[in-house]
Amino acid sequence: MSDNVVRLHKDPEPPAQDAPVTTLTVVSDPPSAPVAPLWVRSGRAVKRIATDEKTTATLRAAARHGMYTFNGGRIVARRTWDGRTGSRYERMIRAAETAGNHELAEEWEERLQRFRDARHRRRMDLLTSPVDVAKGAAIGTGMSIGTLIALGIVMALNTKDVADVITPLSAVIEFIGLLITIVQVVWPYAITLGPLFALLALWSVGHKQQAAPNWALPDNVRNGEGEPITPSIVVKALRDLGVPALRNAIKEMGDAGAGMLGPIRIAGCGVEVDVTLPSGVSTVEVQQRRRKLAENLTRHEHEVFITIPQAARTVRLWVADSGALDEPIGPSPLVTDETMTADYAKGKAPWGQDLRGDAAALSLYQRHLLITGLSNQGKTVALRSLALWLSLDKSVQFLMGDLKGVGDWAMFDGLATTLIQGPTDEHVIQVTEMVEGAVDEMNRRIQAPPGTKFPPLIVLVDEAQVAFMCPAKDEDKRPYGGAKANSRYFMAVRKIHNQGRAVNVLMWQGTQDPTNENLPKLVREGAHTRASLALGTESQARMALGDKAVDGGAAPNLLRPGLDRGTLVVASDGITIPAGQSSITVRTHYIDDDAAEAITDRAKAIRDGVTTLHAIERGEERDPLADIASVLGESSRVRTKDVLTRLANLNQDAYGGWSFIDLKRVLDDAGAEPYKSDGVMVVSRDRVTRALANRDDEGSASATDDREPTPDGSGRQGELPNPLPAPPPWP
């Protein structure tokens, strides 16, 4: 039959003056869905029932209790076997031999021999014991009957009835008969209930030991959230780690592996334990299975840290309390203590807390600093908190370049001598010239008389990868970025790394996602303090912290991006690191912008006032030798002190910061050395004039010289380079 249905209905509005017209309309209903076969519907029903939560819970409970009983029997059998044989002593001997303790092995062997001797004596006694037992039973029975008859005689004498002689004996016989009757009544039930009670006892043993597969255990036991760390849990986690040599060694140990563990110590928001691995097991094999070890300990991967202490074949496990690392730490002391001050030379910056909950403080004295990590992990805040603390020492000067340019360092306006903010190539050029100015200041300090004290100068560049990757070049075609010998920023940083520490000129850098392109190796290796937030790969971790720290257990690549924001791994001698470790994990305090501004306001209050430059001014080029000749005037000789004063009056920006060393360097290079006259150092006008004339003659000759330039571009082959230009003024 067709699915079309024929329906009759009247037109609702028939034509006027006409009879109603009946129309036939064919309405087609949509086809119904085909009915699935019976076997398909049955399969779906079975699947729905089998996957139902109640069904799975019931099956899991049945499997769990069945395994409790079965494994409880195995445990009881193992205990019985250990009690009746010397297998326990043999396991102890093997464990001592595995640990290399031969004295302990000999002691357990002596105990095993004594056990075997005692067992032999018991077995020999069993050969003669039946006769002795029969004799003892006969004697005991006879004495008991005699005692009962004697008691009956006493009763008969008392009652004058001869029948009472056997009354006690009859009572005992009746009591024995009653016991036999009771046994006859109870025995059928005992035969039935006895095995049930035995199974219940085995189930109790298995339940107490949780002797069932993990999938069959209850949810609260299977998840193990917050489960305390005990020696048995640690040993079980190591046994199930997937290292065959470790698993076999634990099985052979008589103490079930407990001898591998040191004391479990409470360490901050977790516990710490040293594990001495058996022979044939490498610490690397355990380190590479961090996730599996954490899951065996019912923890997340980020809640277990594995380090290598000084002891051989030993790993140190730090296991956090479940969820403890997700809790924020308290505010920084810089925020809570408004009276706090800083001491660059002797103090330490309060940076955060280590995993044990102890305060983590970092010494900044004469240490170059490098902080790296993925974007948006708290790098700028961690770097800024160190600068905020150091700003409370009024002797510290800052040169700052923020190549992100979103205002993270704006609160240092009026505190830093130079503050450049922006991500463009022009900002990179400005920052490069700032760092080169710091190099000139470093050179000036190095040439100062011995014993001269210099204030600390911190050259800080945030987002330094922008500078290293800048493609801009100067008028001499020298690139500002890159990692070659002609790169201006790279070479300036290298010079500060090489010599700046000796005169308190320090380089601090923050950079993202370290690679060989945006963070050259020589720059990485030049930092005394290296810290890293979350990274993507182990190779990046090695770039950030070095091979030694990573080989010792440092793993910033295992931190969780976003979730472990502000947590960094530090490798430095400026922070207290536990003995035997090469790095420490620090959870830094978070200081927001408002709190940072409050701290910088306190820092500005203790200073005399600083005028911050927001760009490096490119002044006109000066000719120091010509300016010296001009300030000498008509005098044949002028004291060096007066020459310096006249130069400063001529151009304060160029010569205001000059010292005698700067003046002497220019004159010595020109061949117009100052000399002593009447006990004071003077400058000769004739010498300066002659030096100018000679220089002009050499310049004219070099203009027509067709000799090849030197490789470094400083002059012609066979000629000395031109005198160094005067350093820029230091604010």
Side-chain angles (χ1 to χ4, degrees):
M1 294 179 60
S2 174
D3 291 334
N4 295 332
V5 180
V6 179
R7 297 175 182 172
L8 285 176
H9 63 83
K10 293 184 179 180
D11 192 331
E13 297 181 359
Q17 299 178 356
D18 290 335
V21 179
T22 302
T23 59
L24 293 176
T25 303
V26 179
V27 180
S28 177
D29 290 339
S32 58
V35 179
L38 178 61
W39 65 271
V40 174
R41 298 197 305 273
S42 301
R44 292 173 180 173
V46 171
K47 180 180 179 181
R48 184 173 59 256
I49 296 173
T51 57
D52 186 77
E53 184 178 354
K54 294 182 179 179
T55 304
T56 56
T58 302
L59 294 176
R60 188 182 297 116
R64 177 171 66 250
H65 294 293
M67 294 304 296
Y68 282 166
T69 305
F70 177 76
N71 289 328
R74 293 178 56 190
I75 294 172
V76 171
R78 179 69 176 271
R79 292 174 180 175
T80 304
W81 178 259
D82 287 344
R84 302 295 297 176
T85 65
S87 59
R88 179 181 58 176
Y89 299 94
E90 293 174 356
R91 288 200 305 272
M92 293 295 185
I93 293 172
R94 288 194 298 269
E97 290 176 346
T98 302
N101 193 342
H102 298 290
E103 295 181 358
L104 183 60
E106 292 177 358
E107 181 180 348
W108 279 109
E109 190 172 1
E110 291 178 0
R111 294 183 181 181
L112 175 59
Q113 188 60 40
R114 290 196 297 268
F115 170 79
R116 288 174 175 173
D117 292 341
R119 184 178 61 184
H120 177 70
R121 287 194 299 270
R122 290 195 301 270
R123 290 176 177 176
M124 294 302 296
D125 291 341
L126 289 177
L127 297 177
T128 58
S129 60
V131 177
D132 296 336
V133 170
K135 291 181 179 179
I139 295 173
T141 303
M143 292 180 63
S144 299
I145 294 174
T147 302
L148 292 174
I149 292 175
L151 180 61
I153 294 173
V154 172
M155 292 178 61
L157 292 174
N158 183 47
T159 59
K160 308 301 182 181
D161 186 358
V162 179
D164 288 339
V165 173
I166 61 173
T167 299
L169 185 59
S170 301
V172 171
I173 293 173
E174 291 177 359
F175 177 72
I176 294 174
L178 178 61
L179 292 178
I180 294 173
T181 302
I182 293 174
V183 170
Q184 290 176 343
V185 174
V186 173
W187 183 253
Y189 300 100
I191 293 295
T192 303
L193 298 177
L196 296 179
F197 284 114
L199 292 176
L200 181 60
L202 297 179
W203 176 89
S204 178
V205 173
H207 179 266
K208 184 176 181 180
Q209 297 292 329
Q210 294 293 330
N214 188 66
W215 60 267
L217 295 175
D219 292 339
N220 59 339
V221 178
R222 184 172 63 253
N223 295 336
E225 295 294 339
E227 185 179 9
I229 301 300
T230 62
S232 60
I233 290 177
V234 176
V235 172
K236 186 176 182 297
L238 293 170
R239 185 194 66 194
D240 299 337
L241 202 55
V243 182
L246 181 59
R247 181 179 63 251
N248 296 335
I250 292 175
K251 288 182 178 180
E252 293 177 356
M253 292 180 182
D255 55 358
M260 297 191 308
L261 307 184
I264 297 180
R265 304 176 296 271
I266 296 177
C269 58
V271 295
E272 185 179 72
V273 59
D274 287 352
V275 181
T276 302
L277 302 175
S279 178
V281 181
S282 171
T283 56
V284 177
E285 294 180 282
V286 178
Q287 280 186 303
Q288 293 176 344
R289 293 168 171 81
R290 179 187 177 196
R291 172 174 294 182
K292 190 170 185 178
L293 178 62
E295 293 173 351
N296 290 347
L297 293 170
T298 65
R299 294 294 190 273
H300 297 290
E301 182 180 12
H302 71 278
E303 294 176 330
V304 175
F305 286 82
I306 305 173
T307 55
I308 310 298
Q310 291 180 341
R313 285 202 338 263
T314 302
V315 293
R316 178 168 295 161
L317 306 181
W318 185 85
V319 185
D321 297 336
S322 184
L325 294 184
D326 296 329
E327 298 293 331
I329 63 175
S332 171
L334 289 172
V335 178
T336 58
D337 186 1
E338 296 184 356
T339 63
M340 176 175 285
T341 59
D343 188 341
Y344 162 75
K346 299 179 181 179
K348 289 188 175 183
W351 210 6
Q353 295 179 359
D354 60 15
L355 295 178
R356 294 161 180 79
D358 300 328
L362 179 67
S363 173
L364 304 173
Y365 179 66
Q366 292 188 346
R367 290 179 176 87
H368 302 301
L369 177 66
L370 172 65
I371 297 181
T372 186
L374 297 178
S375 177
N376 196 30
Q377 298 304 308
K379 169 178 50 62
T380 297
V381 173
L383 184 62
R384 189 176 67 183
S385 65
L386 298 177
L388 288 172
W389 176 80
L390 203 54
S391 69
L392 298 176
D393 184 342
K394 63 180 181 181
S395 67
V396 179
Q397 302 174 0
F398 292 97
L399 297 178
M400 292 185 171
D402 175 17
L403 294 178
K404 184 189 296 182
V406 295
D408 290 335
W409 298 88
M411 67 286 302
F412 281 86
D413 189 3
L415 189 61
T417 305
T418 302
L419 177 60
I420 300 171
Q421 303 178 86
T424 66
D425 290 348
E426 179 62 26
H427 291 101
V428 172
I429 295 173
Q430 296 280 341
V431 168
T432 301
E433 293 177 350
M434 177 190 76
V435 179
E436 290 175 337
V439 173
D440 294 333
E441 169 65 9
M442 177 189 70
N443 293 331
R444 185 184 70 81
R445 293 184 177 190
I446 292 174
Q447 296 171 3
T452 305
K453 302 294 184 181
F454 299 104
L457 174 62
I458 306 300
V459 185
L460 189 153
V461 179
D462 195 12
E463 305 296 341
Q465 77 279 355
V466 178
F468 284 113
M469 301 181 71
C470 177
K473 296 182 179 181
D474 61 13
E475 60 275 5
D476 296 328
K477 304 302 180 181
R478 292 182 57 194
Y480 287 93
K484 296 183 178 180
N486 62 346
S487 170
R488 293 181 59 176
Y489 180 79
F490 171 74
M491 291 306 298
V493 173
R494 286 294 300 144
K495 290 175 182 178
I496 294 178
H497 278 176
N498 291 337
Q499 295 178 298
R501 176 178 176 272
V503 290
N504 280 337
V505 178
L506 303 177
M507 191 75 204
W508 290 10
Q509 295 184 97
T511 181
Q512 291 182 13
D513 193 16
T515 63
N516 287 322
E517 288 73 24
N518 61 23
L519 187 60
K521 183 178 187 298
L522 293 178
V523 173
R524 302 195 303 260
E525 301 296 335
H528 302 97
T529 295
R530 300 168 70 173
S532 176
L533 293 106
L535 290 174
T537 63
E538 181 180 335
S539 62
Q540 290 178 334
R542 292 184 180 276
M543 292 180 185
L545 300 178
D547 292 337
K548 180 180 179 181
V550 175
D551 292 338
N557 53 300
L558 297 181
L559 295 174
R560 301 169 299 168
L563 298 177
D564 289 328
R565 184 179 291 112
T567 300
L568 46 77
V569 183
V570 186
S572 171
D573 60 349
I575 193 170
T576 302
I577 297 178
Q581 297 181 199
S582 57
S583 64
I584 185 172
T585 302
V586 177
R587 304 173 67 197
T588 58
H589 295 294
Y590 176 73
I591 302 177
D592 59 23
D593 292 346
D594 294 337
E597 290 181 0
I599 296 171
T600 53
D601 289 342
R602 287 157 42 198
K604 295 173 186 176
I606 64 177
R607 297 173 182 254
D608 296 331
V610 177
T611 301
T612 299
L613 298 179
H614 295 279
I616 303 297
E617 298 180 359
R618 298 182 179 90
E620 60 177 342
E621 295 291 337
R622 305 294 305 184
D623 186 347
L625 189 60
D627 288 343
I628 293 173
S630 67
V631 299
L632 291 177
E634 299 298 327
S635 302
S636 60
R637 59 179 181 269
V638 180
R639 292 193 306 174
T640 55
K641 180 179 180 181
D642 294 336
V643 172
L644 289 172
T645 302
R646 295 177 184 181
L647 286 173
N649 293 333
L650 177 65
N651 192 309
Q652 179 66 31
D653 292 336
Y655 304 114
W658 266 34
S659 66
F660 170 74
I661 295 175
D662 302 315
L663 177 62
K664 185 176 183 299
R665 184 185 70 247
V666 173
L667 294 174
D668 288 347
D669 292 340
E673 299 85 352
Y675 62 94
K676 272 193 176 182
S677 176
D678 297 330
V680 296
M681 297 297 295
V682 297
V683 179
S684 172
R685 180 173 60 85
D686 292 339
R687 291 186 179 184
V688 174
T689 303
R690 185 166 54 252
L692 277 173
N694 293 336
R695 189 186 67 177
D696 293 340
D697 293 341
E698 292 175 358
S700 299
S702 63
T704 59
D705 194 352
D706 58 356
R707 286 172 290 180
E708 293 296 327
T710 57
D712 60 357
S714 60
R716 300 291 177 178
Q717 294 284 0
E719 290 185 325
L720 295 176
N722 291 330
L724 294 174
W730 191 253

